[in-house]
């Protein structure tokens, strides 16, 4: 199937392009970007022009920042294309609901992707927890914004989500593996005095689960979820690549991210063939609740 990739930045080049190149399901037939391109692939600067000229392209994958994504997704749907959304699927819950409704009304499909759910040990963790009761937990998700979003000021603008850009990855795993839903009880959000979105956050969730997100960690990055249950302890480390259950370690044979995007594109192919959508917004609900309930504190200015 032919697919167009919209928004050719770091995540597109590092993850989407290699995943598509290795897939038996997809042909990357076009890109749309004001600043980037992929060697050997037809490049466009305008989505409308591409949609009009390339009726053979059945699917559009959007790697844009969250704020402009809604308009692009709606245009693609109205042009009769299936749509794949990089996480988070939008800037607001209401626009995500509108996109899902539009896809349904147009008899198309839309996919809100959560790449961290595709980490190798997430499914085994979910299976082990299925009959357990969670008694407490700790999420530690700390990384360096300068490494992952170098000079990208949009992450600190309204709609950019700040530290929840990586933090939502942890919440996507949590909402996938827990046998029952959780909800937010309270939050503290640290906003640099010169920025519009938080650089750190602490969440108090039900079932005694605490989450610590920070975008200022240099050196080794930390992506861990540890859960106490009525039948032992489970921990996911390295973003879901390593699973520890009561001291017994299971680890993915490959790098943390190497299998995530190939699995997302395999799932997208399934959805297109079945004419279905997958728009689970539960991680985004928790982030929205954090902005609603969160106590705001001021942190030192941040500069790239």
């Amino acid at each position: 199937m032919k697919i167009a990739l919209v928004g050719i930045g770091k995540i597109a080049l590092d993850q989407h392009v290699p995943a598509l190149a290795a897939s038996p399901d997809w042909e990357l037939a076009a890109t749309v970007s004001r600043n980037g391109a992929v060697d050997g692939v037809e490049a466009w600067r305008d989505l409308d022009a591409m949609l009009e000229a390339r009726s053979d392209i059945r699917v559009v994958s959007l790697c844009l920042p969250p704020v402009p994504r809604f308009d692009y997704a709606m245009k693609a749907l109205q042009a009769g294309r299936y749509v794949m959304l990089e996480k988070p699927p939008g800037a607001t819950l209401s626009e995500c609901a509108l996109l899902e409704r539009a896809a349904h009304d147009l008899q198309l499909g839309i996919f809100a992707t959560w790449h961290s759910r595709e980490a190798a040990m997430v499914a085994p963790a979910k299976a082990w927890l299925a009959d357990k009761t969670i008694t407490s937990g700790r999420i530690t998700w700390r990384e360096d914004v300068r490494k992952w979003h170098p000079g990208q000021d949009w992450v600190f603008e309204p709609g950019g989500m700040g530290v929840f850009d990586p933090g939502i990855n942890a919440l996507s795993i949590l909402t996938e593996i827990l046998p029952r839903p959780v909800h937010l009880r309270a939050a503290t959000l640290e906003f640099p005095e010169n920025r519009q979105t938080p650089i750190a956050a602490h969440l108090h969730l039900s079932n005694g689960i605490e989450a610590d997100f920070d975008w200022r960690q240099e050196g080794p990055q930390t992506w861990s979820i540890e859960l106490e249950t009525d039948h032992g302890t489970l921990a996911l480390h390295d973003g879901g690549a390593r699973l520890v259950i009561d001291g017994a370690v299971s680890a993915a044979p490959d790098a943390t991210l190497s299998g995530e995007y190939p699995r997302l594109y395999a799932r997208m192919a399934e959805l297109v063939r079945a004419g279905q959508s997958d728009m689970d917004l539960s991680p985004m609900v928790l982030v929205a609740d954090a902005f609603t309930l969160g106590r705001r504190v001021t942190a030192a200015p941040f500069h790239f």
Side-chain angles (χ1 to χ4, degrees):
M1 291 179 284
K2 291 182 172 64
I3 189 169
L5 195 58
V6 181
I8 307 302
K10 179 176 172 58
I11 191 67
L13 294 174
D14 289 353
Q15 300 297 338
H16 290 259
V17 172
L20 288 167
S23 172
D25 297 308
W26 300 104
E27 174 194 339
L28 180 55
T31 64
V32 180
S33 179
R34 289 179 295 177
N35 303 306
V38 176
D39 289 344
V41 178
E42 182 179 288
W44 296 79
R45 292 178 61 86
D46 181 75
L47 177 66
D48 292 325
M50 187 278 293
L51 291 171
E52 182 176 356
R54 295 299 306 268
S55 60
D56 59 320
I57 293 177
R58 193 176 183 188
V59 179
V60 174
S61 179
L62 298 177
C63 305
L64 301 159
V67 169
R69 200 175 297 156
F70 174 81
D71 290 338
Y72 280 75
M74 190 61 78
K75 286 182 178 181
L77 288 170
Q78 291 171 345
R81 317 307 165 91
Y82 284 72
V83 172
M84 181 170 173
L85 301 167
E86 178 57 86
K87 66 86 188 173
T92 68
L93 288 168
S94 59
E95 66 184 33
C96 292
L98 286 171
L99 290 173
E100 185 174 19
R101 178 60 182 268
H104 176 270
D105 290 347
L106 293 165
Q107 296 184 324
L108 295 166
I110 189 166
F111 182 21
T113 69
W114 302 104
H115 68 81
S116 290
R117 287 181 173 178
E118 303 299 332
M121 293 295 111
V122 169
K126 180 179 181 177
W128 188 83
L129 289 170
D131 60 350
K132 311 294 191 302
T133 297
I134 309 301
T135 57
S136 64
R138 177 76 180 180
I139 301 172
T140 306
W141 220 259
R142 296 184 165 204
E143 60 182 56
D144 185 354
V145 64
R146 291 185 175 94
K147 176 179 179 179
W148 301 102
H149 292 280
Q152 296 179 25
D153 286 302
W154 66 265
V155 298
F156 287 112
E157 294 298 321
M161 296 186 68
V163 75
F164 288 105
D165 179 85
I168 204 169
N169 294 334
L171 298 176
S172 74
I173 294 175
L174 186 73
T175 53
E176 176 68 11
I177 65 176
L178 291 183
R180 286 166 290 281
V182 292
H183 65 276
L184 186 76
R185 295 186 179 277
T188 301
L189 312 180
E190 293 186 44
F191 286 74
E193 63 180 32
N194 62 332
R195 300 291 184 171
Q196 297 295 313
T197 59
I199 199 166
H202 191 92
L203 309 185
H204 303 268
L205 300 162
S206 56
N207 296 93
I209 299 172
E210 305 286 320
D212 176 30
F213 302 154
D214 203 309
W215 234 355
R216 299 168 293 196
Q217 178 154 306
E218 300 178 359
Q221 313 287 273
T222 306
W223 302 301
S224 295
I225 299 174
E226 299 168 308
L227 299 171
E228 296 288 340
T229 81
D230 57 344
H231 286 83
T233 301
L234 176 145
L236 279 169
H237 299 295
D238 303 329
R242 185 161 55 94
L243 174 64
V244 183
I245 298 176
D246 291 334
V249 180
S250 300
D254 51 19
T256 303
L257 294 176
S258 63
E260 294 181 3
Y261 282 84
R263 284 189 279 273
L264 286 178
Y265 276 104
R267 173 62 174 154
M268 186 65 199
E270 292 175 355
L271 292 173
V272 173
R273 292 185 181 113
Q276 296 177 346
S277 292
D278 183 347
M279 280 288 281
D280 176 26
L281 300 177
S282 53
M284 199 168 168
V285 169
L286 292 175
V287 172
D289 288 350
F291 279 104
T292 300
L293 286 178
R295 182 175 65 90
R296 176 173 177 149
V297 298
T298 302
F302 176 83
H303 302 281
F304 281 106

